[in-house]
Amino acid sequence: MNSIKVAVIGTGYIGVVHLEMLRRIPDVEITAVADTNETLARKAAEKLKIPRVFPTVDKLLADGDVDVVHNCAPNNVHFDINVAAIQAGKEVLSEKPLSLNSEESSRLLALAAKHGTLTGIDFCYRYFPVVQEAAARVRRGDLGEVRAFAGHFLQDWLFFDTDYSWRLDPAVAGAANVVADLGSHWCDLVQFITGRKIVEVMAELHTCIPRRRRPLGGSLSFASGKAASSEEVEVKLDDYASLFLRLDNGARGNFTTCQVAAGRKVDIELQVFGSKESYAWSHVSPNALWVGHREKANEVFYESPALQTEGTRKYAALPTGHPMGYHDAMYNLFRDYYEALGAKRAGRPYETTFPDFRTGHEMMCVIDAAVASHQSRTWTKVGPS
Amino acid sequence: MNSIKVAVIGTGYIGVVHLEMLRRIPDVEITAVADTNETLARKAAEKLKIPRVFPTVDKLLADGDVDVVHNCAPNNVHFDINVAAIQAGKEVLSEKPLSLNSEESSRLLALAAKHGTLTGIDFCYRYFPVVQEAAARVRRGDLGEVRAFAGHFLQDWLFFDTDYSWRLDPAVAGAANVVADLGSHWCDLVQFITGRKIVEVMAELHTCIPRRRRPLGGSLSFASGKAASSEEVEVKLDDYASLFLRLDNGARGNFTTCQVAAGRKVDIELQVFGSKESYAWSHVSPNALWVGHREKANEVFYESPALQTEGTRKYAALPTGHPMGYHDAMYNLFRDYYEALGAKRAGRPYETTFPDFRTGHEMMCVIDAAVASHQSRTWTKVGPS
Amino acid sequence: MNSIKVAVIGTGYIGVVHLEMLRRIPDVEITAVADTNETLARKAAEKLKIPRVFPTVDKLLADGDVDVVHNCAPNNVHFDINVAAIQAGKEVLSEKPLSLNSEESSRLLALAAKHGTLTGIDFCYRYFPVVQEAAARVRRGDLGEVRAFAGHFLQDWLFFDTDYSWRLDPAVAGAANVVADLGSHWCDLVQFITGRKIVEVMAELHTCIPRRRRPLGGSLSFASGKAASSEEVEVKLDDYASLFLRLDNGARGNFTTCQVAAGRKVDIELQVFGSKESYAWSHVSPNALWVGHREKANEVFYESPALQTEGTRKYAALPTGHPMGYHDAMYNLFRDYYEALGAKRAGRPYETTFPDFRTGHEMMCVIDAAVASHQSRTWTKVGPS
Amino acid sequence: MNSIKVAVIGTGYIGVVHLEMLRRIPDVEITAVADTNETLARKAAEKLKIPRVFPTVDKLLADGDVDVVHNCAPNNVHFDINVAAIQAGKEVLSEKPLSLNSEESSRLLALAAKHGTLTGIDFCYRYFPVVQEAAARVRRGDLGEVRAFAGHFLQDWLFFDTDYSWRLDPAVAGAANVVADLGSHWCDLVQFITGRKIVEVMAELHTCIPRRRRPLGGSLSFASGKAASSEEVEVKLDDYASLFLRLDNGARGNFTTCQVAAGRKVDIELQVFGSKESYAWSHVSPNALWVGHREKANEVFYESPALQTEGTRKYAALPTGHPMGYHDAMYNLFRDYYEALGAKRAGRPYETTFPDFRTGHEMMCVIDAAVASHQSRTWTKVGPS
């Protein structure tokens, strides 16, 4: 079969991770990149020997050789690029969020359905092997009924008032910062592991650092306002959020996220309490799943191609004891996506086991409900997805 | 000086721990016990060579030789015994909660003030050496301003529907179960470490197991309805609760507690995020304090008579590396209480560094606000303390 | 029954721990203390309300009211005091080591047998509840045959060349320092858990810091030569040691101990690998036993009066999840000793489940073999015990 | 510049990992594979779109387009292939061990020097970012003088007597099994981190399971004798080994390795104790370096492109908190190798910071000394390297 030809839009940090992991996927050929910062794009292209560099998204989408687009541009243009890529007949794997609100993501869903697009979205944390294992065990009934869940997603990259990011600017980031950025990852983990939908939310958003120094002349993902050329700005978006959550079976959950938690880097923790046992997973020690019991010793299950549930072994590719990392999680997601795409192109049936635009839209609905809840200070139902 | 003469009311599990740890306190003589279950009381007295056993609280309080009363009776009689003990001129160290609501605890405060009673309450978790260390560092300014905090208190002793306790019965336990029982400990830790007061609450209470088997003929603290002689009952009190919390400086916090979390035993975790650094403490590994930093490696501080802040070294009595346990935490609390009492009796000035009836009342106010918030589904201010 | 009357010889650090934990033992009355530093003895006696203070060991042993002697004096007088106490008709619980070599400990064994003395020795680490659990499981056959074991005992209290102790002086400490002091604890754990005897040793002893500053005028257990009044001395005893060990079933083991390991406090770790499963225990997290499996998830067993093997539940006295500490381990040892003593005095049969002078002698034989092995640089058999 | 053309010999487990990680290296083109099992080779070639498949090593080496050979064949042919590849003018990156003994590895060193070959060997564990960090800090002087070190490398893949591997067969594996296979990795970590050479060894090798079931008809790396078609064989090589080690500055170390340790997968631990601080690293939690101190809290340093020592930041490619894994370690090694190769081809100066044939030879010398020590039961000097 011919290689699948892939283009990546956006060659900042996450775009480069996409490029590197795409290189591990058999049957994939990276043919083009685009970035509004053309120098950045050229550098990536040269280093990774990518033949074509486009100065604009439009020109890239006009390239008939491109089969799949990875949308790694900034959040505020995710929607426009996703729309254009679908309309150009490309398959689309987008960075999260799909758009700035659920009304837009709803339109994307419809558009993709109309065009028969194979969509994907980068909720990569579910692709650590033991997260897959937890989900598989829930589906097999090991956990029993989900009763409650709890956890957090903590970071410290906005700890100082001299830290700044476009994520704090409503014009670029939309109505929320941390609850959208980190909260959506965590809520996806909840839905993925439990197999249930979040239906109601009570939220509190808070800005721990209400005034920051913004560097003059550009706001990258990770920037510092320590430079002399900065100005003090009022920050309106959240750097802390808490959510009470309710699942469609009535299970209750609680979540905290914060970007000013000194010493916490990508500290994701999720505990799920069922009627038969409990699971806990932490991204700080991502290779192990804790399994809790009332009447016998608790277990620590390590990712393993030998011991995992049948269907999840492929995600634990290395002999037991060799740790997988973040790169491998993203690779696992890509592999699932491209296996489905290979099947689609070959006319074979396939499953979309990976997160797709529906997933992305569901998360937009949860975040929209959280923002509305915060504003009204009341419990808010998650809109129809 | 003469020994201080102490009596313990209630000789169930926690009463026996009191008795054992009292035996480690110099200058204290245990002279009497009382329990409505006189057999239990006699057994404890015989084993520990306690001279007097009283069949009723009244008779014990009438004993002029008793200087101090430890109130280890069930929750629903805490208030009455505390009142009677104060009125009988005894000093009182009570198990938590002081009473079943904040109106009662408010009266207790007034009564104790009137009688000049030296009061104490058993919020023992703050007496792990590194919890004291965290509090001392906050007061010294190391943490900076508290911005946010989060954590949980999880257990599994009500995991099965055949588990039952009087704590689930509103007639005995009052308006709440887990949020009061475990939540008060956690909120005390928050106030103690941060040095700030909780002023507003948003709560969700939930009953994960709405129908349980209650054993016929008595409901002890830890009972099982597995016996044939049990009946199904509807459970109205919470076995799960979540709280959004606000401190008097505007800091936000989030807390989850649950008693049906399989595999979690006494799993208390508290993280505090300040403007200079972060602290985290877990009762599962209670001898270490995690100190988080943005720009250098995080630290793990182990309890130590050599390295702790001056005033807290006495709580880490053993050479560094020899772990203190739960017993030692309670002993530390007792020691502080009895040092103050010794000073009081000698007419020397003293500090009440330990939790007292004011602390107990503040916690009742937080719990009352949580229950009210749950019922109204709105943010609720913590009543005047 | 009348109380058992106990005297403690030596009121330094470990003597005070003995005194405090003795206060928790029912049926025990502390009647006397002695210390060559009479001021120290008086202080302890006053604080803990002990009626008699003796200026010499002889006078204490002449006190007919004393039933049991706890020998907490420095190592170099352990032997003499043990001999004298037995000859005075006392029961004896001695700090380790029993003597400075195995020839002496052998004589002690014979003497105690002749007098029918109930002897005990303070190998307290085996009294953490899950260490007892491991031993019970081995005896039940869970582990299968022991194949191999490994671990370490690391400290840092001799890290600086200004740290000094009488333990480094052969005149007081005998032929070895760390291999005797820490090594004997670890080897006792091995024998206790596996139920097997160490029969052959290959050892390397080493002095990482060959020159130290010794404070002039006295060498306490924990001293510093930072003071101006110190002199440089050559250190001849080991502050590092490694042992290859062989058990009587042919199982192989390996052990490292070191007192100059910065950051390690009382870091004991022991792993035992059997033909059916593995166990690991660490004093840094002493409440949990790791249980390793090849074909299923590993387990973490937490001390528990509910889940432990029947005979070991009494050592886990608190409800599951409340951590026991070092004090509790020593208390557990004392309780076993005094239960046996109560039975002996009542003419009832009893088991000596606790470590006794035989245990102490066996450890002296292992240490003697280690020193001999180091000197000859060859494998050395452990002498007859 | 033209791509570097790479061929991989051996397409079993480790060969496929090489292939996958090579795909992440810019400027590298995988042009050929070879395997005596041609079906295996074809499968890998097809999946990864590798143009040429050779049935023999000779034919592959005769391909003038091949610049570099990755030697991933079984141990017993490592030497022959390495010799042939060097003689064919290829650059060589070999799996460990280089050969079956140090005499052979010595000849390889000479041969590579004569041909100017750029050699590499896959000691990949040193390429976890914080292992690099530890080494960099030692070189900067942070650790002070190395005084002692200790650790282990434990596995359980030979736990059952029905487990079998060619590694247990002296005809294929040489004079040692686990001490060579795992011991060489650990000893390389010691030399790499400390910057010192191992000069003397005392070893004990042991066969915990002396009789195993060998499957009839082939012995792969990971095989099971559970099948009916197996025969009982006597095992002569070690599945357990312990080593006392001495460095060229006199520092002492101790090491245990075992392949029958149920529950331990790739459990590598190394602690290094210096005169200023200590380091500990565990492959079970490979992203963190423990830094131990005597007079302040210990630290846990997490891999970070922001906080690592300048020269090691490139190994921590992801934003702090995103864990690297085993794949990334191997990728880091390849990247260093190919950067040097790029420089060599361009005539630019370069450093060989990666492990090369000299490293491999040094490890062969240590293992040879260990085997000799075991046989003579005496301390043995490591031969000239």
Side-chain angles (χ1 to χ4, degrees):
Chain A
M1 199 204 324
N2 288 332
S3 287
I4 300 171
K5 295 193 173 51
V6 180
V8 173
I9 297 171
T11 53
Y13 143 62
I14 198 68
V16 171
V17 175
H18 278 242
L19 287 168
E20 260 204 62
M21 288 306 106
L22 277 168
R23 287 171 67 93
R24 288 175 63 185
I25 306 288
D27 300 324
V28 155
E29 192 182 332
I30 307 170
T31 59
V33 290
D35 200 300
T36 52
N37 182 336
E38 206 179 329
T39 314
L40 209 62
R42 291 222 166 273
K43 213 167 118 188
E46 194 172 331
K47 185 179 163 200
L48 298 169
K49 303 210 168 291
I50 299 162
R52 306 180 200 179
V53 178
F54 291 101
T56 67
V57 170
D58 288 349
K59 293 210 167 101
L60 182 145
L61 292 178
D63 182 343
D65 285 349
V66 171
D67 300 314
V68 185
V69 165
H70 283 232
N71 181 356
C72 301
N75 290 10
N76 60 328
V77 290
H78 279 181
F79 175 69
D80 290 341
I81 292 174
N82 286 333
V83 165
I86 293 172
Q87 286 175 335
K90 312 302 187 192
E91 315 286 7
V92 186
L93 199 161
S94 178
E95 268 302 314
K96 51 155 273 278
L98 289 188
S99 55
L100 292 184
N101 57 59
S102 61
E103 187 272 327
E104 287 177 350
S105 59
S106 167
R107 282 159 55 197
L108 273 180
L109 257 192
L111 192 67
K114 184 176 143 199
H115 285 79
T117 315
L118 187 76
T119 60
I121 185 167
D122 180 25
F123 286 122
C124 57
Y125 296 110
R126 53 155 96 172
Y127 272 100
F128 280 93
V130 296
V131 174
Q132 293 282 333
E133 174 71 11
R137 289 182 180 206
V138 169
R139 278 146 192 74
R140 196 173 61 191
D142 295 17
L143 184 80
E145 186 74 7
V146 181
R147 288 170 170 172
F149 56 101
H152 55 244
F153 193 155
L154 304 171
Q155 287 185 338
D156 70 357
W157 66 277
L158 289 175
F159 178 70
F160 294 114
D161 66 359
T162 46
D163 299 317
Y164 194 78
S165 165
W166 55 259
R167 293 180 187 278
L168 294 167
D169 179 357
V172 187
N177 167 38
V178 71
V179 75
D181 187 19
L182 307 189
S184 62
H185 274 299
W186 196 85
C187 290
D188 176 61
L189 283 175
V190 168
Q191 293 204 161
F192 174 64
I193 289 176
T194 65
R196 300 213 158 265
K197 300 300 179 190
I198 296 167
V199 295
E200 200 171 358
V201 179
M202 171 77 207
E204 179 178 39
L205 278 52
H206 182 57
T207 308
C208 294
I209 304 183
R211 301 196 73 77
R212 290 178 179 270
R213 305 287 320 168
R214 177 170 60 189
L216 294 175
S219 59
L220 298 169
S221 279
F222 303 96
S224 167
K226 281 184 182 167
S229 55
S230 67
E231 58 179 344
E232 189 173 297
V233 292
E234 192 181 349
V235 176
K236 297 211 171 95
L237 295 189
D238 53 308
D239 52 26
Y240 164 96
S242 284
L243 301 183
F244 296 162
L245 297 162
R246 197 168 294 190
L247 299 185
D248 54 16
N249 73 335
R252 302 311 206 269
N254 193 4
F255 170 65
T256 310
T257 185
C258 184
Q259 285 166 324
V260 301
R264 298 302 185 194
K265 306 303 174 180
V266 188
D267 187 341
I268 311 173
E269 185 177 282
L270 173 57
Q271 306 195 50
V272 180
F273 305 115
S275 58
K276 293 186 180 169
E277 58 190 32
S278 306
Y279 301 143
W281 180 75
S282 165
H283 186 252
V284 175
S285 186
N287 314 104
L289 180 71
W290 178 88
V291 182
H293 300 289
R294 156 70 178 274
E295 292 198 317
K296 58 179 183 177
N298 296 326
E299 296 165 90
V300 177
F301 181 87
Y302 197 89
E303 62 190 16
S304 166
L307 300 182
Q308 298 217 182
T309 301
E310 184 77 24
T312 72
R313 290 181 189 178
K314 63 182 167 183
Y315 304 114
L318 289 165
T320 316
H322 292 90
M324 311 283 280
Y326 177 82
H327 276 133
D328 300 303
M330 192 169 283
Y331 164 75
N332 279 336
L333 187 156
F334 287 4
R335 199 174 51 169
D336 267 13
Y337 178 82
Y338 281 99
E339 276 177 16
L341 187 53
K344 180 188 175 191
R345 285 157 60 100
R348 286 184 276 110
Y350 58 91
E351 280 186 295
T352 52
T353 54
F354 46 85
D356 62 8
F357 277 20
R358 172 158 299 281
T359 319
H361 173 57
E362 287 171 3
M363 287 307 109
M364 290 306 307
C365 291
V366 171
I367 301 313
D368 279 7
V371 172
S373 167
H374 170 67
Q375 286 163 349
S376 64
R377 290 171 61 100
T378 58
W379 279 89
T380 303
K381 291 211 185 306
V382 175
S385 59
Chain B
M1 200 201 328
N2 288 332
S3 287
I4 300 172
K5 296 194 173 51
V6 180
V8 174
I9 297 171
T11 53
Y13 144 60
I14 197 68
V16 170
V17 175
H18 278 243
L19 286 168
E20 260 203 61
M21 288 306 105
L22 277 168
R23 288 171 67 92
R24 286 175 64 185
I25 306 289
D27 299 325
V28 157
E29 190 182 334
I30 307 171
T31 59
V33 288
D35 200 300
T36 54
N37 182 335
E38 205 179 329
T39 314
L40 210 63
R42 291 221 167 276
K43 213 168 116 188
E46 194 172 330
K47 187 179 161 200
L48 298 169
K49 303 210 168 291
I50 299 162
R52 306 178 201 180
V53 179
F54 291 100
T56 67
V57 170
D58 288 349
K59 293 211 166 99
L60 183 146
L61 294 178
D63 182 342
D65 284 351
V66 171
D67 299 315
V68 184
V69 165
H70 283 233
N71 182 357
C72 300
N75 290 9
N76 59 329
V77 291
H78 279 180
F79 175 68
D80 290 342
I81 293 174
N82 286 333
V83 166
I86 293 172
Q87 286 175 334
K90 312 301 186 192
E91 315 287 5
V92 187
L93 199 162
S94 178
E95 268 302 313
K96 53 156 272 279
L98 289 188
S99 56
L100 293 184
N101 57 60
S102 60
E103 186 273 327
E104 286 177 351
S105 58
S106 168
R107 281 160 55 198
L108 273 178
L109 258 192
L111 193 67
K114 184 177 143 200
H115 285 78
T117 315
L118 188 75
T119 60
I121 184 168
D122 180 24
F123 285 122
C124 57
Y125 296 109
R126 55 155 97 171
Y127 272 100
F128 279 92
V130 296
V131 175
Q132 293 282 334
E133 174 71 11
R137 288 182 181 206
V138 170
R139 277 145 192 75
R140 196 172 59 191
D142 294 17
L143 184 80
E145 186 75 6
V146 181
R147 288 169 170 174
F149 56 101
H152 55 244
F153 192 156
L154 304 171
Q155 288 186 338
D156 70 356
W157 67 277
L158 290 175
F159 178 69
F160 293 115
D161 65 0
T162 46
D163 298 317
Y164 194 78
S165 165
W166 56 258
R167 293 181 186 278
L168 294 166
D169 180 357
V172 187
N177 168 36
V178 70
V179 75
D181 187 19
L182 307 189
S184 62
H185 273 300
W186 196 86
C187 290
D188 176 61
L189 284 174
V190 168
Q191 292 203 161
F192 175 64
I193 290 176
T194 64
R196 298 214 161 264
K197 301 299 179 189
I198 297 168
V199 296
E200 199 170 359
V201 180
M202 171 76 206
E204 178 178 40
L205 278 51
H206 182 55
T207 308
C208 294
I209 304 183
R211 300 195 73 77
R212 289 177 180 268
R213 306 284 322 164
R214 176 170 60 189
L216 294 175
S219 57
L220 298 169
S221 279
F222 302 96
S224 168
K226 281 184 183 169
S229 54
S230 68
E231 59 179 347
E232 190 174 296
V233 293
E234 192 182 349
V235 175
K236 298 211 173 96
L237 296 189
D238 51 309
D239 52 25
Y240 164 95
S242 283
L243 301 182
F244 295 162
L245 297 161
R246 198 167 292 189
L247 299 185
D248 55 16
N249 73 335
R252 302 313 206 267
N254 194 3
F255 171 63
T256 310
T257 184
C258 184
Q259 284 165 323
V260 301
R264 297 303 185 195
K265 308 302 175 180
V266 186
D267 187 340
I268 310 172
E269 186 177 281
L270 173 58
Q271 305 194 51
V272 179
F273 305 115
S275 59
K276 294 187 181 168
E277 60 190 29
S278 305
Y279 301 142
W281 180 75
S282 165
H283 185 252
V284 175
S285 187
N287 314 104
L289 180 72
W290 178 88
V291 182
H293 301 289
R294 157 71 178 274
E295 292 198 318
K296 59 179 182 175
N298 296 326
E299 297 165 88
V300 177
F301 181 87
Y302 197 89
E303 62 190 16
S304 166
L307 300 182
Q308 298 215 182
T309 300
E310 184 77 23
T312 73
R313 290 181 188 178
K314 62 181 169 183
Y315 304 114
L318 290 165
T320 316
H322 293 90
M324 310 284 280
Y326 178 82
H327 276 134
D328 299 305
M330 191 169 284
Y331 164 74
N332 279 336
L333 189 156
F334 287 4
R335 199 174 51 168
D336 267 13
Y337 179 81
Y338 282 99
E339 277 178 14
L341 187 52
K344 180 188 175 192
R345 285 156 61 100
R348 284 183 280 110
Y350 57 93
E351 278 186 298
T352 53
T353 54
F354 47 86
D356 61 8
F357 278 20
R358 172 160 299 283
T359 319
H361 172 59
E362 287 171 2
M363 287 307 110
M364 290 307 306
C365 292
V366 171
I367 302 313
D368 278 6
V371 172
S373 166
H374 171 67
Q375 286 163 351
S376 65
R377 289 170 62 96
T378 57
W379 280 90
T380 302
K381 292 210 185 306
V382 175
S385 59
Chain C
M1 199 203 326
N2 288 331
S3 286
I4 300 171
K5 295 193 173 51
V6 180
V8 173
I9 297 171
T11 53
Y13 145 59
I14 198 68
V16 171
V17 175
H18 278 242
L19 287 168
E20 259 203 62
M21 288 306 106
L22 277 168
R23 287 171 67 93
R24 287 176 63 185
I25 306 288
D27 300 324
V28 156
E29 191 182 333
I30 307 171
T31 59
V33 289
D35 201 298
T36 52
N37 182 335
E38 205 180 329
T39 314
L40 210 61
R42 290 221 167 275
K43 213 168 116 187
E46 194 172 331
K47 186 179 161 199
L48 298 169
K49 304 213 167 289
I50 298 163
R52 306 179 200 179
V53 179
F54 291 101
T56 67
V57 170
D58 289 348
K59 292 209 167 105
L60 182 145
L61 293 177
D63 181 344
D65 284 349
V66 171
D67 300 314
V68 185
V69 164
H70 283 233
N71 182 356
C72 301
N75 289 9
N76 60 329
V77 291
H78 278 182
F79 175 70
D80 290 341
I81 293 175
N82 285 333
V83 166
I86 292 173
Q87 287 175 333
K90 312 301 186 192
E91 316 286 6
V92 186
L93 200 162
S94 178
E95 268 302 314
K96 51 157 273 279
L98 289 188
S99 55
L100 292 185
N101 57 59
S102 60
E103 187 272 326
E104 286 177 350
S105 58
S106 168
R107 281 159 57 197
L108 273 179
L109 257 192
L111 192 67
K114 184 176 145 200
H115 285 78
T117 315
L118 187 76
T119 61
I121 184 168
D122 180 26
F123 286 123
C124 58
Y125 296 109
R126 52 154 98 173
Y127 273 100
F128 279 93
V130 297
V131 175
Q132 292 283 333
E133 174 71 9
R137 289 182 179 206
V138 170
R139 279 145 192 75
R140 197 172 62 191
D142 294 18
L143 184 81
E145 186 74 8
V146 180
R147 288 170 170 173
F149 55 101
H152 55 243
F153 192 156
L154 306 171
Q155 288 185 338
D156 69 357
W157 67 276
L158 290 174
F159 178 70
F160 293 115
D161 66 359
T162 46
D163 299 316
Y164 194 78
S165 165
W166 54 259
R167 293 179 187 279
L168 294 167
D169 180 356
V172 187
N177 167 37
V178 70
V179 75
D181 187 19
L182 307 189
S184 61
H185 274 298
W186 196 86
C187 290
D188 176 62
L189 283 175
V190 169
Q191 293 204 160
F192 175 64
I193 289 176
T194 66
R196 299 212 159 266
K197 300 300 178 189
I198 296 168
V199 296
E200 201 171 358
V201 180
M202 171 77 205
E204 180 179 38
L205 278 52
H206 182 56
T207 307
C208 294
I209 304 183
R211 300 196 72 78
R212 290 178 179 269
R213 306 286 320 169
R214 177 170 60 189
L216 294 174
S219 59
L220 298 170
S221 279
F222 302 96
S224 167
K226 281 185 182 167
S229 54
S230 67
E231 58 180 345
E232 189 173 296
V233 293
E234 192 182 349
V235 176
K236 298 211 172 93
L237 296 190
D238 52 309
D239 53 26
Y240 165 95
S242 284
L243 302 183
F244 295 163
L245 298 161
R246 197 167 293 189
L247 299 186
D248 54 16
N249 73 335
R252 301 312 205 269
N254 194 3
F255 170 64
T256 310
T257 185
C258 185
Q259 285 166 322
V260 302
R264 298 303 186 195
K265 306 302 173 181
V266 187
D267 187 340
I268 310 172
E269 186 177 280
L270 173 58
Q271 305 195 51
V272 180
F273 305 115
S275 59
K276 293 186 179 168
E277 59 190 32
S278 305
Y279 301 142
W281 179 75
S282 166
H283 185 252
V284 175
S285 186
N287 314 104
L289 180 71
W290 178 87
V291 182
H293 301 288
R294 157 71 178 274
E295 292 198 318
K296 58 178 182 178
N298 297 326
E299 297 165 89
V300 177
F301 181 87
Y302 198 90
E303 62 190 15
S304 165
L307 300 182
Q308 299 218 179
T309 301
E310 183 76 24
T312 72
R313 290 181 190 179
K314 62 181 167 183
Y315 304 115
L318 290 165
T320 316
H322 292 90
M324 311 283 281
Y326 178 81
H327 276 133
D328 299 304
M330 191 168 282
Y331 164 75
N332 279 336
L333 189 156
F334 287 5
R335 199 174 50 168
D336 268 13
Y337 178 82
Y338 282 98
E339 277 177 15
L341 187 52
K344 180 188 175 190
R345 285 157 60 100
R348 285 185 276 112
Y350 58 93
E351 280 186 298
T352 53
T353 54
F354 46 85
D356 61 9
F357 277 20
R358 173 157 299 280
T359 319
H361 173 58
E362 287 171 4
M363 286 307 108
M364 290 307 306
C365 292
V366 171
I367 301 314
D368 279 6
V371 172
S373 167
H374 170 67
Q375 286 163 350
S376 64
R377 288 172 61 99
T378 58
W379 279 90
T380 303
K381 291 211 186 306
V382 175
S385 59
Chain D
M1 200 202 326
N2 289 332
S3 285
I4 300 171
K5 295 194 173 51
V6 180
V8 173
I9 296 172
T11 53
Y13 143 61
I14 198 68
V16 171
V17 175
H18 278 242
L19 287 168
E20 260 204 61
M21 288 307 104
L22 278 168
R23 288 172 67 93
R24 287 174 64 184
I25 306 289
D27 299 325
V28 157
E29 190 182 335
I30 307 170
T31 59
V33 289
D35 199 299
T36 53
N37 182 334
E38 206 179 327
T39 315
L40 210 63
R42 290 220 168 276
K43 213 167 116 188
E46 195 173 327
K47 186 179 161 199
L48 298 169
K49 304 210 167 291
I50 299 162
R52 306 178 201 180
V53 179
F54 292 101
T56 67
V57 170
D58 288 349
K59 293 209 166 105
L60 183 145
L61 294 177
D63 182 343
D65 285 350
V66 171
D67 300 314
V68 184
V69 165
H70 283 231
N71 182 356
C72 301
N75 289 9
N76 60 328
V77 292
H78 279 181
F79 175 69
D80 289 343
I81 293 174
N82 286 333
V83 166
I86 293 172
Q87 288 176 334
K90 312 301 186 193
E91 315 286 6
V92 186
L93 199 162
S94 178
E95 268 302 313
K96 52 157 272 280
L98 288 188
S99 55
L100 292 185
N101 56 60
S102 60
E103 186 273 326
E104 287 177 351
S105 57
S106 168
R107 283 160 54 197
L108 274 179
L109 257 191
L111 193 67
K114 183 177 144 199
H115 284 79
T117 315
L118 188 74
T119 61
I121 185 167
D122 180 24
F123 286 122
C124 57
Y125 297 109
R126 53 156 98 170
Y127 273 100
F128 280 92
V130 295
V131 174
Q132 293 282 334
E133 174 72 11
R137 289 183 181 205
V138 170
R139 278 147 192 73
R140 196 172 59 192
D142 295 16
L143 184 80
E145 186 75 6
V146 181
R147 288 170 171 173
F149 56 101
H152 56 243
F153 192 157
L154 305 171
Q155 286 187 338
D156 70 356
W157 68 277
L158 289 175
F159 178 70
F160 294 115
D161 65 0
T162 46
D163 299 317
Y164 194 79
S165 165
W166 56 258
R167 293 181 186 276
L168 295 166
D169 180 357
V172 187
N177 167 37
V178 70
V179 75
D181 187 19
L182 307 189
S184 62
H185 274 298
W186 196 86
C187 291
D188 176 62
L189 283 175
V190 169
Q191 293 204 160
F192 175 64
I193 290 177
T194 65
R196 298 215 160 262
K197 301 299 179 190
I198 296 168
V199 296
E200 200 170 359
V201 179
M202 171 77 206
E204 179 177 41
L205 277 52
H206 182 57
T207 308
C208 294
I209 304 183
R211 300 195 73 77
R212 290 177 180 268
R213 306 286 321 167
R214 176 170 61 189
L216 295 175
S219 57
L220 298 169
S221 279
F222 303 96
S224 167
K226 281 184 183 168
S229 56
S230 67
E231 59 179 346
E232 190 174 296
V233 294
E234 192 182 348
V235 176
K236 297 210 172 94
L237 296 189
D238 53 309
D239 52 25
Y240 165 95
S242 284
L243 301 182
F244 296 162
L245 298 161
R246 197 168 293 190
L247 299 185
D248 55 16
N249 73 334
R252 302 311 205 270
N254 194 3
F255 170 63
T256 310
T257 184
C258 184
Q259 285 165 322
V260 301
R264 298 303 185 194
K265 307 302 174 181
V266 186
D267 187 340
I268 311 172
E269 186 177 282
L270 173 57
Q271 305 195 51
V272 179
F273 305 115
S275 59
K276 292 187 180 166
E277 60 190 29
S278 305
Y279 302 142
W281 179 76
S282 165
H283 185 251
V284 176
S285 186
N287 314 103
L289 180 72
W290 178 88
V291 182
H293 301 288
R294 157 72 178 273
E295 292 198 318
K296 60 178 181 176
N298 296 326
E299 297 165 88
V300 177
F301 180 87
Y302 197 90
E303 62 191 16
S304 166
L307 301 182
Q308 299 216 182
T309 300
E310 183 77 24
T312 73
R313 291 181 189 179
K314 62 181 168 182
Y315 304 114
L318 290 165
T320 316
H322 292 91
M324 311 285 279
Y326 178 82
H327 276 134
D328 300 304
M330 191 168 284
Y331 164 75
N332 280 336
L333 188 157
F334 287 5
R335 198 174 51 169
D336 267 13
Y337 178 81
Y338 281 99
E339 278 179 13
L341 186 52
K344 180 187 175 192
R345 285 157 61 100
R348 284 183 279 113
Y350 58 92
E351 278 186 297
T352 52
T353 54
F354 46 86
D356 61 8
F357 278 20
R358 173 160 299 282
T359 320
H361 172 59
E362 288 170 1
M363 287 306 109
M364 290 307 306
C365 292
V366 171
I367 302 312
D368 279 7
V371 172
S373 166
H374 170 67
Q375 287 163 349
S376 65
R377 290 170 62 97
T378 58
W379 280 89
T380 302
K381 291 210 185 308
V382 175
S385 58

